[in-house]
């Protein structure tokens, strides 16, 4: 055991643990076992802790057949390259904290005080500050290790004007890397290109304007990587009326592999709930703008749970701490470390972290105006900027100091002599004298300093081939596209999910009150109407036409919002191959039918008998079937308009004009339509519905109504059925044409 532990420095807590005869297994034992089988020569992945150094190759501790669990506060092993360059720092969080104090003029607290201040992050149970209790620690699961490398990444967008188009550079040659077990932070001010870089690394942007190299285990991006990548967007895209447990369960059923049973998938969802500390709110609705639900921190954890439920090798997060208080933000970043300890590669953007958050990142990329200002270990960022003459003059958060530099703000920061000389030289030939460097001067100096001092060294490191087998590379580049469920299972899951989500809207008291109130008003206006007189016959015909118009207008404007409102969710889920578009479309359109057909039944029961229409069972049910057919056809038109335009304002305007045209051509207002526009009536569901209702109420249409005689209604029914399928086919084709991230 002594030989196995040689060269590894332990904290007192680890020594006590070893002295007690207990052996602490590495969190990544299972993940490293897979990596060991894949890497040439039997070498393995050694997981460093949050502030430690990751080492590829055989570990002395493993020669004895033991996995030594390393504490973050015990990572004091120094890199020989760092020692020779004089830029070595202790990887312990205490040393990082002590340095930040001493660097700004403070004296570091004694070691025993720091020991009391440190969070016990290596306990099996940690305190959940939001739930107020203990939570299960994220378990280590086998995962395929993926090394992310990106070199000279350049990206620009084309801004199209009225007459000309201009190009705008977003990223200017960004280089960096992230390894399994590491948390890489992308930091910079707003507009620096953090989210763009994250989207490029996650395969969410594919464009001809992208230059440079992005590789995963030295292989380019391909669609098979979708099932190994988790991507948490800045905006929480979730269904408001589903509970936390329902949200994660549906994700598990759709995304986990077919080899798992339904029970195993549901158990996996419950494990994620316990691991993320969501037990307290598991039966609470997610909520939204108008629906009360879980807190912001819990929403963010649900979003992360949606991605880690598939055990991804790469996890990308876009500002996961936005809108969270400092304690919840620290809890979230600590959770990312737990995820990384399972052998996963974590990349996250961060806007302005607290000092405690900053010291928890392994690697840091600092961006300014799309240019790379620093890439390296987060614990050594202050040393680097001190070496180029930029040091804080007062005590400040390291992240705040770095963001000030990225913005070109050097208030309370020492001005490098080289930059000062450059400014003085420029002022000699200028009439206006300004001794303080401008933000542009600071930015140019920082970019130049990084290019001359660090960039070449980092690029050479990235050129070294990874010591991994060809089999592992082939696994990454496999073109096989796996679905987590069969088509029918996807349809069934999405059907019930849609039914649960939209029942709150369709069966809301406002909608029910609207329909019942309209029905009662109609019943009172047409109370016991008499069809034996010409005047009464005209009145009944007006009622039938209103029913045809109302149940054509109502479904259209309900269905218009279907796809535009779910566009963000559809993009998010299709980007990770959660389901086939055809299964989603069929489930989405059929799950609305039970809800759409509930209110018309109540409406007709009230109106039919109050208005004194034909009192017989057969006419009543035929009238109801006619209204159902009208609703389904009108719904198809609304789906087609919404899917084609994907903009609620445009779709509403277009639908208003269309429905008004169909109503006017419905055969009640205008009976003698000019020949050149008479074709409109044949594509109007109002026209066919009105004629069918007349046929049901009067076997032979009275001459006083001046309506062409209806044979047996087969033509009208055939036209309505053609509309049902035709409009939906148009909607599906429009969805197919919609651009999905990375061409999903």
């Amino acid at each position: 055991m002594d030989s196995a532990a040689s060269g590894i420095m332990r904290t007192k807590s680890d020594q006590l643990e070893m002295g007690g005869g207990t052996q602490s297994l590495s969190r990544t034992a299972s993940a490293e076992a897979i990596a060991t089988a894949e890497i040439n020569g039997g070498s393995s992945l050694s997981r460093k802790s949050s502030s430690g150094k990751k080492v590829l190759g055989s570990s002395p501790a493993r020669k004895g057949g033991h996995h030594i669990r390393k504490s973050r506060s015990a990572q004091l092993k120094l890199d020989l390259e760092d020692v020779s360059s004089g830029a070595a720092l202790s990887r312990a969080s205490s040393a990082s904290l002590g340095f930040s104090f001493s660097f700004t003029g403070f004296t570091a607290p004694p070691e025993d005080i720091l020991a009391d201040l440190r969070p016990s992050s290596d306990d099996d149970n940690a305190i959940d500050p939001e739930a107020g209790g203990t939570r299960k620690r994220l378990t280590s699961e086998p995962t395929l290790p993926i090394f992310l490398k990106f070199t000279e990444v350049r990206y620009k967008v084309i801004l199209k004007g009225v007459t000309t188009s201009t190009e705008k550079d977003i990223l200017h040659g960004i280089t960096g890397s992230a390894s399994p077990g590491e948390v890489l932070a992308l930091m910079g001010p707003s507009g620096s290109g953090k989210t763009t870089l994250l989207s490029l690394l996650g395969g969410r942007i594919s464009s001809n304007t992208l230059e440079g190299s992005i590789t995963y285990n030295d292989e380019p991006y391909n669609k098979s990587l979708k099932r190994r990548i988790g991507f948490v967007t800045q905006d929480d895209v979730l269904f408001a009326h589903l509970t936390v447990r329902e949200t994660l369960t549906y994700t598990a059923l759709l995304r986990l592999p077919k080899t798992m049973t339904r029970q195993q998938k549901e158990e996996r969802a419950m494990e994620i709930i316990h691991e993320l500390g969501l037990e307290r709110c598991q039966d609470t609705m997610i909520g939204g703008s108008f629906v009360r639900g879980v807190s912001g921190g819990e929403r963010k954890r649900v979003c992360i749970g949606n991605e880690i439920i598939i055990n991804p090798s790469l996890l990308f997060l876009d500002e996961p701490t936005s809108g969270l208080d400092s304690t919840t933000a620290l809890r979230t970043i600590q959770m990312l470390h737990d995820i990384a300890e399972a052998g996963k590669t974590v990349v996250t953007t961060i806007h302005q972290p607290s000092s405690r958050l900053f010291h928890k990142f392994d690697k840091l990329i600092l961006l300014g105006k799309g240019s790379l200002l620093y890439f390296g270990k987060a614990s050594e960022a202050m040393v680097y900027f001190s070496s180029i003459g930029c040091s804080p003059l007062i005590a400040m958060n390291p992240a705040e100091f770095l963001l000030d530099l990225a913005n070109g703000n050097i208030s309370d920061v020492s001005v490098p002599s080289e930059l000062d000389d450059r400014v003085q030289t420029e002022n000699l030939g200028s009439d206006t004298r300004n001794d303080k460097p401008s933000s542009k001067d600071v930015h140019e100096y920082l970019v130049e300093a990084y290019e001359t001092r660090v960039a070449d060294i980092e690029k050479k490191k990235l050129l070294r081939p990874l010591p991994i087998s060809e089999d592992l590379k082939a696994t990454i580049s496999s073109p096989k596209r796996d679905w987590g469920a069969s088509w029918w299972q996807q349809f069934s899951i999405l059907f019930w999910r849609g039914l649960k989500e939209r029942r709150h809207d369709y069966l809301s008291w406002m909608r029910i009150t609207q329909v019942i109130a309209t029905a009662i008003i109609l019943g009172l206006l047409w109370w016991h109407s008499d069809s034996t007189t010409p005047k009464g016959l005209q009145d009944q015909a007006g009622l039938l036409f209103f029913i045809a118009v109302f149940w054509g207008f109502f479904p259209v404007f309900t269905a218009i919002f279907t796809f535009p409102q779910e566009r963000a969710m559809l993009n998010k889920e299709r980007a990770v191959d959660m389901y086939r578009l055809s299964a989603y479309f069929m489930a989405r359109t059929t799950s609305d039918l039970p809800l759409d057909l509930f209110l018309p039944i109540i409406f007709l029961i009230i109106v039919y008998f109050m208005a004194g229409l034909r009192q017989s069972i057969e006419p009543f049910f035929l009238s109801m079937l006619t209204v159902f057919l009208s609703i389904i056809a009108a719904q198809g038109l609304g789906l087609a308009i919404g899917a084609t335009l994907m903009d609620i304002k445009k779709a509403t305007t277009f639908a208003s004009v269309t429905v008004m045209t169909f109503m006017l051509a419905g055969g009640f207002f205008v009976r003698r339509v000019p020949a050149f526009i008479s074709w409109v009536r044949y594509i109007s569901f109002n026209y066919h519905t009105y004629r069918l209702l007349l046929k049901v109420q009067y076997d032979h249409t009275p001459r006083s109504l001046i309506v062409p005689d209806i044979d047996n209604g087969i033509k009208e029914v055939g036209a309505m059925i053609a509309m049902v399928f035709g409009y939906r086919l148009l909607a599906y084709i429009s969805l197919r044409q919609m651009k999905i991230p990375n061409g999903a």
Side-chain angles (χ1 to χ4, degrees):
M1 187 67 186
D2 294 334
S3 61
S6 61
I8 300 180
M9 301 182 67
R10 301 180 178 84
T11 59
K12 293 180 180 180
S13 60
D14 286 332
Q15 291 174 356
L16 290 172
E17 194 175 13
M18 298 299 294
T22 59
Q23 296 179 351
S24 180
L25 296 177
S26 170
R27 296 187 195 284
T28 58
S30 55
E32 290 171 346
I34 291 181
T36 303
E38 297 289 348
I39 297 177
N40 286 332
S43 61
S44 62
L45 293 174
S46 175
R47 159 72 182 132
K48 79 176 183 69
S49 67
S50 63
S51 304
K53 175 71 179 177
K54 174 169 274 299
V55 181
L56 279 175
S58 59
S59 172
R62 293 204 177 104
K63 292 180 181 179
H66 299 286
H67 293 281
I68 303 301
R69 177 180 177 182
K70 300 179 182 179
S71 173
R72 289 191 182 86
S73 60
Q75 290 297 325
L76 301 176
K77 185 177 179 181
L78 301 179
D79 192 349
L80 293 178
E81 294 180 3
D82 297 339
V83 173
S84 62
S85 64
L89 282 175
S90 170
R91 303 302 186 270
S93 59
S94 61
S96 300
L97 183 61
F99 172 75
S100 64
F101 281 133
S102 60
F103 190 80
T104 54
F106 288 96
T107 303
E111 178 63 24
D112 55 347
I113 297 178
L114 287 174
D116 294 334
L117 294 175
R118 292 189 196 104
S120 55
S121 58
D122 286 328
D123 294 338
D124 289 334
N125 295 297
I127 298 297
D128 184 351
E130 198 164 356
T134 59
R135 65 176 179 84
K136 282 186 62 178
R137 195 168 172 83
L138 284 170
T139 56
S140 173
E141 295 185 7
T143 186
L144 182 69
I146 293 183
F147 295 81
L148 174 64
K149 292 182 181 181
F150 44 101
T151 309
E152 290 296 326
V153 175
R154 301 176 184 273
Y155 180 72
K156 56 187 176 182
V157 294
I158 300 176
L159 303 176
K160 296 182 179 180
V162 179
T163 57
T164 59
S165 298
T166 58
E167 293 182 351
K168 181 180 179 181
D169 293 326
I170 305 298
L171 298 175
H172 309 275
I174 310 300
T175 297
S177 65
S179 302
E182 290 181 341
V183 179
L184 169 64
L186 309 180
M187 201 168 75
S190 299
S192 59
K194 303 187 300 295
T195 301
T196 301
L197 178 59
L198 188 78
S199 300
L200 289 170
L201 298 180
R204 295 302 179 97
I205 298 178
S206 56
S207 173
N208 296 330
T209 58
L210 172 63
E211 299 177 5
S213 172
I214 302 176
T215 60
Y216 311 80
N217 286 355
D218 286 340
E219 295 291 328
Y221 181 87
N222 61 81
K223 287 189 175 183
S224 65
L225 276 170
K226 289 182 181 180
R227 63 180 180 273
R228 304 191 185 278
I229 291 179
F231 198 103
V232 181
T233 59
Q234 184 176 355
D235 299 325
D236 302 331
V237 183
L238 298 168
F239 285 115
H241 293 100
L242 295 182
T243 65
V244 170
R245 180 166 54 184
E246 288 172 345
T247 299
L248 292 173
T249 299
Y250 285 128
T251 301
L253 294 175
L254 289 168
R255 298 190 68 180
L256 291 178
K258 294 179 182 178
T259 54
M260 298 178 66
T261 64
R262 183 183 180 93
Q263 182 179 358
Q264 290 174 331
K265 293 181 178 181
E266 292 175 350
E267 290 174 354
R268 172 61 179 161
M270 291 305 300
E271 288 175 5
I272 292 295
I273 288 175
H274 291 296
E275 289 168 357
L276 298 181
L278 296 170
E279 301 98 323
R280 185 187 64 173
C281 61
Q282 60 179 319
D283 294 320
T284 305
M285 286 195 301
I286 297 295
S289 302
F290 306 102
V291 182
R292 192 172 182 179
V294 298
S295 67
E298 290 166 340
R299 284 176 63 89
K300 188 61 67 177
R301 277 186 273 172
V302 173
C303 291
I304 296 175
N306 268 334
E307 301 302 324
I308 66 173
I309 201 168
I310 62 168
N311 190 30
S313 300
L314 278 168
L315 181 61
F316 297 93
L317 304 100
D318 190 7
E319 298 197 15
T321 60
S322 295
L324 305 182
D325 59 84
S326 59
T327 304
T328 308
L330 182 64
R331 161 76 175 78
T332 302
I333 298 301
Q334 182 61 53
M335 182 178 60
L336 297 184
H337 268 286
D338 297 341
I339 293 170
E341 285 183 355
K344 298 173 176 60
T345 306
V346 179
V347 182
T348 178
T349 62
I350 200 81
H351 184 62
Q352 190 167 358
S354 65
S355 56
R356 292 192 298 173
L357 261 65
F358 180 80
H359 289 299
K360 285 186 174 294
F361 297 123
D362 298 323
K363 284 185 177 179
L364 173 69
I365 284 182
L366 181 63
L367 298 175
K369 298 179 182 179
S371 299
L372 185 59
L373 306 182
Y374 176 77
F375 167 65
K377 297 169 186 174
S379 59
E380 296 176 2
M382 300 292 286
V383 174
Y384 164 74
F385 285 103
S386 178
S387 68
I388 64 174
C390 298
S391 304
L393 299 177
I394 62 173
M396 66 172 64
N397 178 359
E400 184 180 352
F401 165 73
L402 296 177
L403 286 173
D404 280 347
L405 286 179
N407 276 312
N409 179 16
I410 56 172
S411 300
D412 302 320
V413 177
S414 61
V415 180
S417 58
E418 182 180 345
L419 177 59
D420 189 54
D421 294 341
R422 183 186 302 179
V423 173
Q424 298 299 333
T425 303
E426 292 176 354
N427 287 337
L428 291 177
S430 175
D431 296 335
T432 59
R433 184 173 182 82
N434 185 12
D435 295 334
K436 189 176 181 180
S438 64
S439 60
K440 181 180 179 182
D441 294 331
V442 175
H443 176 76
E444 291 177 352
Y445 173 77
L446 294 176
V447 173
E448 182 181 344
Y450 182 81
E451 288 292 333
T452 55
R453 295 170 183 252
V454 184
D456 291 338
I457 299 174
E458 293 297 336
K459 289 176 184 177
K460 289 179 181 179
K461 290 181 181 179
L462 295 179
L463 291 176
R464 301 171 189 169
L466 294 173
I468 57 179
S469 65
E470 294 298 326
D471 293 338
L472 185 58
K473 292 183 180 181
T475 304
I476 294 297
S477 59
S478 173
K480 187 178 180 181
R481 194 177 191 183
D482 292 331
W483 299 99
S486 64
W487 189 95
W488 179 253
Q489 289 173 332
Q490 290 176 4
F491 169 79
S492 177
I493 295 167
L494 293 171
F495 177 88
W496 288 108
R497 187 183 75 171
L499 202 61
K500 286 187 177 181
E501 165 61 21
R502 286 180 293 279
R503 63 184 176 182
H504 300 277
D505 291 332
Y506 279 82
L507 302 181
S508 64
W509 284 109
M510 185 178 295
R511 187 183 293 261
I512 293 175
T513 303
Q514 178 186 10
V515 172
I516 292 178
T518 304
I520 292 175
I521 291 172
L522 290 177
L524 294 175
L525 290 174
W526 273 271
W527 178 261
H528 290 179
S529 59
D530 185 10
S531 60
T532 57
T533 63
K535 189 176 180 180
L537 191 62
Q538 288 288 346
D539 289 344
Q540 277 197 0
L543 173 63
L544 297 177
F545 184 76
F546 180 85
I547 293 174
V549 169
F550 182 78
W551 289 111
F553 175 89
F554 202 73
V556 167
F557 285 90
T558 301
I560 274 178
F561 301 98
T562 299
F563 296 123
Q565 284 183 340
E566 291 191 7
R567 182 176 187 174
M569 180 65 72
L570 183 61
N571 286 344
K572 170 191 168 183
E573 294 180 338
R574 285 193 64 201
V576 295
D577 282 350
M578 186 179 286
Y579 44 71
R580 295 175 176 86
L581 180 61
S582 57
Y584 165 79
F585 182 81
M586 291 299 297
R588 185 64 182 85
T589 54
T590 55
S591 63
D592 291 339
L593 293 180
L595 301 173
D596 279 332
L597 303 182
F598 171 73
L599 292 178
I601 295 175
I602 300 176
F603 177 89
L604 278 178
I605 290 175
I606 296 173
V607 172
Y608 199 90
F609 295 104
M610 287 184 69
L613 296 178
R614 192 174 176 185
Q615 302 295 311
S616 179
I617 296 178
E618 184 179 354
F620 173 75
F621 282 105
L622 287 177
S623 299
M624 189 170 291
L625 290 176
T626 301
V627 171
F628 285 173
L629 194 58
S630 174
I631 290 172
I632 299 173
Q635 186 187 57
L637 176 64
L639 293 173
I641 294 174
T644 303
L645 299 178
M646 276 297 176
D647 183 274
I648 293 178
K649 290 184 178 180
K650 293 179 181 178
T652 304
T653 303
F654 184 78
S656 300
V657 176
T658 304
V659 171
M660 181 185 66
T661 304
F662 284 0
M663 179 185 67
L664 294 176
F668 182 79
F669 295 109
V670 183
R671 295 181 176 85
R672 295 180 180 179
V673 181
F676 63 87
I677 201 174
S678 61
W679 56 270
V680 174
R681 67 175 64 180
Y682 299 110
I683 61 172
S684 168
F685 43 78
N686 296 140
Y687 175 76
H688 299 293
T689 304
Y690 176 53
R691 288 171 63 84
L692 286 174
L693 288 175
L694 290 176
K695 175 67 177 177
V696 169
Q697 289 298 315
Y698 320 109
D699 292 331
H700 300 284
T701 308
R703 293 182 179 181
S704 59
L705 295 179
I706 317 177
V707 175
D709 193 23
I710 306 170
D711 297 331
N712 50 15
I714 294 179
K715 292 181 180 179
E716 285 75 11
V717 172
M720 297 279 282
I721 293 175
M723 292 180 193
V724 169
F725 292 101
Y727 288 140
R728 281 168 171 76
L729 180 61
L730 177 60
Y732 179 73
I733 294 173
S734 299
L735 285 182
R736 272 289 176 198
Q737 301 301 320
M738 187 176 67
K739 291 183 179 180
I740 302 295
N742 199 34

